[in-house]
Amino acid sequence: MPLGSDRNTPVRTGELLHLPVAANAKIYAGALVALNTGGYAVPGSTTTGLKAAGRAEEQADNTGGADGARWVTVRRGVFKFANSGTDPVGQAHVLGDCYIVDDQTVAATDGTGTRSRAGKVLGVEADGVWVEIR
């Protein structure tokens, strides 16, 4: 039903997410964070079916805990992650996708279907890859 009067609609910028952490997961501050198929935050890893969420703003240790027993704040944006030594992202990949290797490393390819998408490559430097995670 359409509005009949003014409405104070709540707003979020979408820059910060507060996500439940997966059972037995430990996420370090600064880590590339993804959501598993159940929708819980996990550290980035070579796994299919993950959805890149952003960078952890703090450490969240859910070791020994059930899904959602701990929460982590994740920032979305553009971050510099390490470049894979065996499947490096190069200048030709700028504005293309890169893929999650672990919680600090990205690669040029999906590793023949073994890696999930990290985000869009915005730059490549000697010490890392700028990745947009939105």
Side-chain angles (χ1 to χ4, degrees):
M1 177 167 247
L3 290 175
S5 63
D6 294 340
R7 179 176 190 264
N8 183 9
T9 303
V11 64
R12 288 184 179 175
T13 64
E15 184 179 343
L16 291 177
L17 303 174
H18 195 60
L19 301 171
V21 178
N24 295 310
K26 184 172 186 177
I27 298 171
Y28 290 96
L32 191 161
V33 177
L35 295 180
N36 65 17
T37 56
Y40 292 95
V42 294
S45 65
T46 299
T47 306
T48 59
L50 297 179
K51 296 177 191 170
R55 180 196 68 196
E57 292 294 285
E58 74 245 343
Q59 185 182 117
D61 188 352
N62 199 22
T63 305
D67 283 338
R70 297 270 187 261
W71 291 71
V72 65
T73 301
V74 175
R75 183 176 301 276
R76 296 174 66 75
V78 181
F79 310 101
K80 187 187 279 187
F81 292 110
N83 200 349
S84 170
T86 57
D87 187 9
V89 176
Q91 185 61 32
H93 298 104
V94 172
L95 296 183
D97 291 338
C98 64
Y99 299 85
I100 303 169
V101 174
D102 58 35
D103 61 357
Q104 68 170 344
T105 310
V106 295
T109 71
D110 70 358
T112 59
T114 61
R115 300 182 189 128
S116 297
R117 181 182 176 277
K120 201 65 80 182
V121 176
L122 295 188
V124 180
E125 297 177 358
D127 63 342
V129 179
W130 289 98
V131 181
E132 179 182 42
I133 303 174
R134 298 260 184 235

